[in-house]
Amino acid sequence: MVGGLLIATRNRPNIHRLTAIGCAFGVMILAVALSPDLATALVFIFPMGAASIAFIATANATLQLRADPSMRGRVMALYAIAFLGTTPIGSPLVGWISQVSSPRVALAVGGTATIVASVVTRRHHQRQHRRADADAAADAAAHAGSGADLVTVPESEPGTELGVA
């Protein structure tokens, strides 16, 4: 609940906030996995839960705000399928990892995967942003000497094809 309330106080969600929260969530999962005793694990479980709720709320809000209103229901349906529909795959996998190694290893795998996915998403978004800036600069340079009137195009945010920009 704290994570949701914290996110509710923020302005528009964006990819930077989403990936930062994803990294924080992964770090907290790793902290729980590496805790030497139950008391230490309990200290990290609270911020881990807050980060989990914050991530879910930010991803949900980002998708709803970025989706075209006529497509919002379809986008959210696909999100629900991706979010809830992967549980039958992920749960047995995490159970198997716990069984052949330990629950700590399963948590560490999940935390590492969360951090890696967040970093990859952030880098992908940054590359797109640089590419969009370079394209805009090239277009401006091409039109600067031609004397042609520039047509202003509404700026779109890179990352929209991911639905999380």
Side-chain angles (χ1 to χ4, degrees):
M1 187 163 87
V2 171
L5 291 173
L6 184 65
I7 291 305
T9 65
R10 301 290 178 227
N11 290 336
R12 265 179 93 82
N14 59 43
I15 192 72
H16 302 290
R17 184 173 298 132
L18 185 65
T19 56
I21 293 169
C23 284
F25 180 41
V27 167
M28 287 298 111
I29 295 171
L30 286 174
V32 171
L34 299 174
S35 294
D37 54 30
L38 180 61
T40 308
L42 290 175
V43 168
F44 291 117
I45 282 186
F46 179 76
M48 182 186 82
S52 171
I53 296 301
F55 182 83
I56 292 167
T58 302
N60 194 336
T62 301
L63 285 173
Q64 288 188 42
L65 291 172
R66 301 291 301 162
D68 184 67
S70 65
M71 298 297 286
R72 191 167 291 144
R74 292 178 183 106
V75 169
M76 295 313 294
L78 286 173
Y79 172 69
I81 289 170
F83 189 73
L84 300 172
T86 57
T87 302
I89 298 166
S91 295
L93 179 62
V94 170
W96 177 77
I97 292 170
S98 292
Q99 187 175 8
V100 298
S101 56
S102 74
R104 289 176 186 260
V105 172
L107 278 170
V109 168
T112 303
T114 302
I115 293 169
V116 168
S118 296
V119 168
V120 167
T121 301
R122 177 72 175 254
R123 287 191 177 158
H124 176 74
H125 184 263
Q126 288 172 334
R127 274 195 307 273
Q128 281 190 310
H129 216 302
R130 282 193 298 270
R131 190 176 308 130
D133 290 345
D135 290 348
D139 288 345
H143 287 85
S146 69
D149 291 335
L150 290 177
V151 176
T152 58
V153 178
E155 184 178 319
S156 65
E157 294 183 30
T160 54
E161 77 283 347
L162 295 176
V164 293

